[in-house]
């Protein structure tokens, strides 16, 4: 997996964490839910990349 994709997956997880926190601070349940979804998606992509790398070597 390319380093650019790994960075993009990590950035997605960080963006989700920031959205979730902002939603918590502002009291926006919608923003919290979007943040949780983005964070989970980024984490899942990172896990998939780790699995691919493990089988590649």
């Amino acid at each position: 997996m390319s380093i650019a994709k790994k960075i993009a997956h990590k950035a997605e997880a960080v963006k989700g964490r920031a959205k979730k926190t902002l939603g918590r601070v502002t009291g926006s349940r919608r923003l919290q839910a979007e943040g949780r979804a983005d964070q989970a998606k980024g984490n899942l992509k990172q896990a998939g990349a780790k699995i691919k790398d493990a089988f590649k070597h």
Side-chain angles (χ1 to χ4, degrees):
M1 177 131 311
S2 73
I3 192 78
K5 283 191 178 185
K6 288 181 182 181
I7 291 171
H9 297 161
K10 182 68 175 177
E12 187 171 10
V14 170
K15 180 183 81 169
R17 192 172 316 127
K19 261 187 181 180
K20 184 174 74 172
T21 303
L22 184 61
R24 188 177 307 142
V25 168
T26 61
S28 172
R29 290 182 184 253
R30 181 189 58 82
L31 197 56
Q32 281 180 337
E34 283 180 17
R36 279 194 301 272
D38 287 347
Q39 187 177 8
K41 193 176 358 172
N43 288 339
L44 187 62
K45 287 180 182 180
Q46 285 179 3
K50 286 180 184 178
I51 290 170
K52 280 184 181 178
D53 286 345
F55 283 109
K56 188 193 294 187
H57 297 288

